[in-house]
Amino acid sequence: MLLAVDVGNTNITCAVLNGEEFVTSFRMTTKLPRTSDEFGILICDILKNREIALKKIEAVIVASVVPGIMYSLTSGIIKYLGIRPMIVGEGTKTGIRIDAINPKEIGADRIVDAVAAYHLHGGPVIVIDFGTATTYDLITKDGAFTAGITSPGLRISANALWNDTAKLPEIQIEKPASILAKETVTSMQAGLVYGCIGQTEYIVKKIIEEAKLTDVKVVATGGLGKLIADSTDCIQVYDPMLTMKGLCMIYEKTTGKKM
């Protein structure tokens, strides 16, 4: 079995894969400081709780956009699982060409999503990840990561609303029945969600227009992605496990081993 780990700015998402089967998945908070022992024990305890024998974990692959926790995380994995994880980074075989001024600036999570979207759906494909930040990436027909757009994610925007204003409350992020809000909570929900839908549709439209695309698939992922994908026709596919699929593909491509 393969343990795939995606270290994001808000959460560390883990999934156990057995071939093409997703055995289980779980999340840990990124911003809570942990030692290598704490990471190792937590991961092992969760796996045992899910009735997964530690000896069945044969390999670990990690994609991270948070360098500050990598030493503790990887040390914990080595100490408690006895496996040195593969880290997605420069030199990793992905099958995607990075057509950027500075390829090193492209986050590992975006590369992983691009790999999965391209190999599952072909190109050209626009990949949208509704995470801490919302990212829009274009992969061409021949597999080149050619453009990327980054905007504040829904949670960042929501936090700014209630943290930087005196009277606005903390709210649940959900789509109200109507944009014609009549009180504070639905007013905020309408602005956040309908605003994100509008941004998504406009950015996708501009990517297609400026790249002169005639046939492109739009694939979305990320925690709040389903909320937006269900509300617009510009997204054809919502895949919450896209990153994990990409990590598995990269591991198999790099090692030549089928998990």
Side-chain angles (χ1 to χ4, degrees):
M1 293 184 183
L2 174 69
L3 175 62
V5 182
D6 173 32
V7 182
N9 289 295
T10 303
N11 292 310
I12 301 168
T13 305
C14 304
V16 177
L17 300 95
N18 186 16
E20 295 184 358
E21 176 192 359
F22 284 92
V23 180
T24 191
S25 62
F26 56 93
R27 290 187 175 194
M28 302 177 287
T29 302
T30 303
K31 293 180 180 179
L32 184 65
R34 293 187 179 97
T35 66
S36 59
D37 292 312
E38 289 170 326
F39 270 122
I41 290 169
L42 181 56
I43 291 170
C44 289
D45 282 351
I46 294 174
L47 291 173
K48 289 174 184 175
N49 182 263
R50 303 292 174 88
E51 298 183 343
I52 298 172
L54 300 183
K55 63 182 179 181
K56 290 188 177 180
I57 303 296
E58 304 167 67
V60 181
I61 182 168
V62 180
S64 174
V65 296
V66 189
I69 73 163
M70 288 302 290
Y71 179 80
S72 293
L73 177 62
T74 55
S75 296
I77 291 169
I78 292 168
K79 282 198 281 185
Y80 286 86
L81 289 176
I83 298 169
R84 184 171 294 278
M86 175 187 296
I87 310 298
V88 177
E90 191 176 5
T92 305
K93 294 180 181 178
T94 65
I96 292 289
R97 187 176 79 257
I98 309 300
D99 185 11
I101 294 173
N102 188 352
K104 293 180 182 179
E105 291 181 349
I106 307 298
D109 56 341
R110 298 173 81 155
I111 302 301
V112 172
D113 286 346
V115 168
Y118 181 73
H119 287 288
L120 290 171
H121 303 287
V125 60
I126 297 169
V127 188
I128 311 174
D129 190 341
F130 294 95
T132 304
T134 299
T135 58
Y136 305 77
D137 298 317
L138 173 62
I139 298 87
T140 62
K141 187 175 182 178
D142 61 350
F145 185 113
T146 191
I149 299 95
T150 306
S151 67
L154 263 170
R155 292 196 191 280
I156 288 179
S157 299
N159 286 333
L161 265 183
W162 57 67
N163 288 330
D164 294 340
T165 54
K167 290 189 176 182
L168 294 182
E170 186 170 338
I171 62 168
Q172 182 73 26
I173 300 174
E174 58 186 28
K175 184 183 175 185
S178 170
I179 198 170
L180 302 175
K182 297 184 183 298
E183 42 77 36
T184 299
V185 171
T186 53
S187 168
M188 294 169 67
Q189 290 172 335
L192 287 165
V193 177
Y194 285 103
C196 187
I197 294 167
Q199 178 195 85
T200 300
E201 292 177 342
Y202 185 78
I203 289 179
V204 168
K205 175 186 172 184
K206 290 301 290 183
I207 291 172
I208 292 171
E209 179 185 308
E210 293 197 18
K212 297 180 174 57
L213 303 173
T214 55
D215 184 18
V216 61
K217 183 158 280 188
V218 181
V219 179
T221 190
L224 290 168
K226 183 169 176 53
L227 177 64
I228 306 304
D230 286 347
S231 303
T232 175
D233 293 334
C234 81
I235 295 173
Q236 286 83 51
V237 178
Y238 172 67
D239 187 345
M241 301 304 288
L242 188 72
T243 306
M244 297 303 156
K245 292 175 182 177
L247 283 168
C248 187
M249 291 174 186
I250 290 172
Y251 180 83
E252 291 179 350
K253 186 173 185 65
T254 303
T255 64
K257 297 177 184 176
K258 270 283 186 186
M259 297 306 297

